[in-house]
Amino acid sequence: MKVVYFLVVILALTSSVVSAYDPSPLQDFCVAAKEKDGVFVNGKFCKDPKLVKAEDFFRHVEPGKTDNPVGSNVTQVFVDQLPGLNTLGIALARIDFAPKGLNAPHTHPRGTEILIVLEGTLYVGFVTSNQDGNRLFTKVLNKGDVFVFPIGLIHFQLNVGYGNAAAIAALSSQNPGAITIANALFKANPPISSEVLTKAFQVDKSIIDYLQKQSWYDNNN
Ligand SMILES: *[C@@H]1O[C@H](CO)[C@@H](O)[C@H](O)[C@H]1NC(C)=O
């Protein structure tokens, strides 16, 4: 009997892996419970449904403060901020921009992003993978415009208008993750050896040393 259960579990796991990034829910909801000493699972534990309340599905979001070196602020509404998202395969972020503010090149390893501009003018783009020749797709977006960034690809948004800008991004995972390229490379902890970076960027070691000493700013963590 145990062997049968084991096979069923393996089949369930493999089929969900090929069909989606977040497994399809097997119940109406599975509100994330805070579990400190539990085992690591692919998602969060469910709160007892009898204890679930409307607040578990609710979050209020204010514009983020943009007085920082990149002039932007990403306010995440992922499963950590909104427990009701657990197992649902969706999340959201609000992005605010000061004039010239940049949401620096980054990727979401687990999610496609679709963006709508609420206010202002954004120059946005993404770069395709090596096999596609690292092609760059860009567009200038105004209020009401929608753009999609395919899963895993490096993308950015720059405020090219005269005033502030704001956008809402929806993501196809409860926990899409974010890797900001400059930070991941030049501010890794512990640091990536300058031998690796010098060769990778084909520049003088002094440039890499300089870059590693910069206080890279992450508005996206
Ligand atoms: C983003 O905005 C929030 C809310 O105003 C603020 O607490 C936070 O420090 C800001 N983050 C950055 C990176 O500026």
Side-chain angles (χ1 to χ4, degrees):
M1 209 52 186
K2 267 187 183 150
V3 173
V4 173
Y5 282 149
F6 182 71
L7 286 176
V8 168
V9 167
I10 293 290
L11 274 175
L13 285 174
T14 49
S15 65
S16 67
V17 165
V18 294
S19 64
Y21 288 89
D22 288 341
S24 299
L26 301 174
Q27 62 284 307
D28 279 355
F29 52 75
C30 164
V31 172
K34 290 205 178 72
E35 188 66 49
K36 288 218 172 66
D37 304 315
V39 291
F40 188 83
V41 290
N42 196 17
K44 310 256 183 194
F45 288 100
C46 307
K47 190 172 173 178
D48 179 349
K50 290 191 290 296
L51 303 177
V52 166
K53 28 187 201 348
E55 291 300 307
D56 291 321
F57 302 98
F58 171 82
R59 176 111 182 153
H60 177 78
V61 169
E62 289 286 329
K65 288 205 177 73
T66 55
D67 54 345
N68 58 53
V70 285
S72 77
N73 193 320
V74 180
T75 307
Q76 294 181 345
V77 187
F78 294 0
V79 67
D80 285 344
Q81 292 81 29
L82 181 52
L85 283 178
N86 195 35
T87 74
L88 299 183
I90 193 167
L92 178 150
R94 178 188 167 114
I95 315 166
D96 290 283
F97 302 83
K100 298 191 164 71
L102 172 70
N103 187 11
H106 64 280
T107 81
H108 301 292
R110 293 176 293 278
T112 288
E113 171 175 332
I114 182 166
L115 183 98
I116 181 162
V117 178
L118 301 180
E119 179 197 354
T121 305
L122 295 175
Y123 169 73
V124 308
F126 67 85
V127 182
T128 67
S129 65
N130 297 5
Q131 286 70 24
D132 192 53
N134 294 133
R135 281 194 295 158
L136 173 67
F137 292 84
T138 65
K139 189 92 183 149
V140 173
L141 307 180
N142 290 298
K143 182 175 176 177
D145 289 346
V146 173
F147 197 79
V148 64
F149 305 96
I151 184 166
L153 301 185
I154 295 177
H155 60 283
F156 58 84
Q157 296 112 18
L158 175 70
N159 182 2
V160 292
Y162 293 105
N164 294 332
I168 298 286
L171 295 127
S172 64
S173 166
Q174 67 180 32
N175 189 20
I179 302 170
T180 306
I181 308 304
N183 296 65
L185 289 176
F186 299 115
K187 211 188 159 191
N189 181 23
I192 299 176
S193 126
S194 61
E195 201 184 336
V196 171
L197 295 173
T198 301
K199 192 138 254 171
F201 286 91
Q202 296 281 298
V203 292
D204 200 84
K205 184 173 175 302
S206 61
I207 295 174
I208 297 299
D209 290 344
Y210 170 80
L211 288 170
Q212 287 188 315
K213 284 197 194 92
Q214 296 301 299
S215 50
W216 294 101
Y217 199 80
D218 202 351
N219 62 339
N220 214 328
N221 50 17

